[in-house]
Amino acid sequence: YPQPKLSCPISVNVELHPNETETTTVKLRRPETDVSWERDVQVEPYWVKKDSFPLPLGSLNVSYTARHPVSKLHTECNFLINVLPGSPPRVDFCPDTQVYTIEGRHQSVKATWEEPVFSDNVGVVTITKSNSPGTDFGAGSHLITYEAHDDAEWKSKCVFKIVVNVNPDQQQQPTAQSHFQLPILYNRFYF
């Protein structure tokens, strides 16, 4: 009979949620094994075998032992669960306001930018954004918002502006034969 297989995480970092001050609920994924989790895997401390459990700030050493039911060969692994104070993701880079000018008879300009960079003590899990680089913008001032969330629901934002001007030398002047057209600046309304 072979040695049982068991794979543990190297370490697990969790942090207090925004409304927690002393403890947080930890949810661990079961380690991969080829023996029965309920019957053949021992966990120390035993209560970590539950699907979720509360932990205070600090570190906890966890040991898993998988024992083959026939050969009694066993495999062990250890890892740390670190409960960290909560903190929002850090904004490592956020673009400055960018100014573009609409040229010729165009109604918009394609704006591009380097996307913001976020980091976090337990890892950024999602980043939402109001617009993507390469979006067409009409004349006016446009707020671009990126928001990063970590696994403990902490969040932070990067907000910058895309300002689109109309080249005054390129605006078409109405003549007696043409119909009156408002400047591009007034062709869009935002509510």
Side-chain angles (χ1 to χ4, degrees):
Y1 293 100
Q3 188 95 3
K5 294 181 180 148
L6 183 65
S7 62
C8 285
I10 297 169
S11 68
V12 176
N13 293 323
V14 295
E15 67 181 346
L16 295 178
H17 289 253
N19 58 348
E20 297 171 331
T21 57
E22 296 179 19
T23 64
T24 192
T25 300
V26 176
K27 296 176 185 174
L28 290 179
R29 289 182 19 195
R30 291 181 180 177
E32 292 183 26
T33 184
D34 59 353
V35 295
S36 167
W37 170 255
E38 289 78 19
R39 184 189 65 210
D40 301 320
V41 176
Q42 300 284 322
V43 182
E44 191 60 44
Y46 70 91
W47 42 265
V48 172
K49 201 169 185 177
K50 298 180 195 175
D51 288 336
S52 64
F53 47 90
L55 275 183
L57 283 171
S59 296
L60 176 69
N61 189 30
V62 177
S63 297
Y64 286 127
T65 304
R67 190 173 311 277
H68 194 280
V70 177
S71 71
K72 303 301 182 202
L73 292 172
H74 68 279
T75 303
E76 293 182 20
C77 64
N78 299 297
F79 67 98
L80 282 175
I81 301 173
N82 300 304
V83 178
L84 309 169
S87 64
R90 186 175 63 247
V91 180
D92 295 325
F93 170 74
C94 187
D96 292 326
T97 295
Q98 296 185 33
V99 179
Y100 292 86
T101 302
I102 296 175
E103 300 289 343
R105 295 181 182 261
H106 296 283
Q107 297 290 314
S108 63
V109 65
K110 189 178 298 286
T112 60
W113 57 86
E114 187 176 339
E115 294 196 284
V117 177
F118 298 91
S119 60
D120 189 69
N121 58 346
V122 295
V124 173
V125 292
T126 59
I127 297 175
T128 57
K129 53 189 169 183
S130 61
N131 298 85
S132 296
T135 299
D136 286 327
F137 291 97
S141 180
H142 308 273
L143 277 183
I144 309 301
T145 303
Y146 282 70
E147 187 170 270
H149 299 256
D150 69 13
D151 209 26
E153 300 169 9
W154 289 90
K155 60 186 177 183
S156 62
K157 289 183 180 182
C158 160
V159 179
F160 60 97
K161 284 183 187 177
I162 300 292
V163 178
V164 180
N165 297 316
V166 177
N167 186 339
D169 298 334
Q170 302 272 338
Q171 288 186 14
Q172 180 181 2
Q173 297 298 321
T175 64
Q177 289 80 23
S178 68
H179 67 283
F180 180 74
Q181 181 180 1
L182 289 173
I184 294 171
L185 179 63
Y186 302 108
N187 283 347
R188 298 187 203 273
F189 296 93
Y190 299 95
F191 297 97

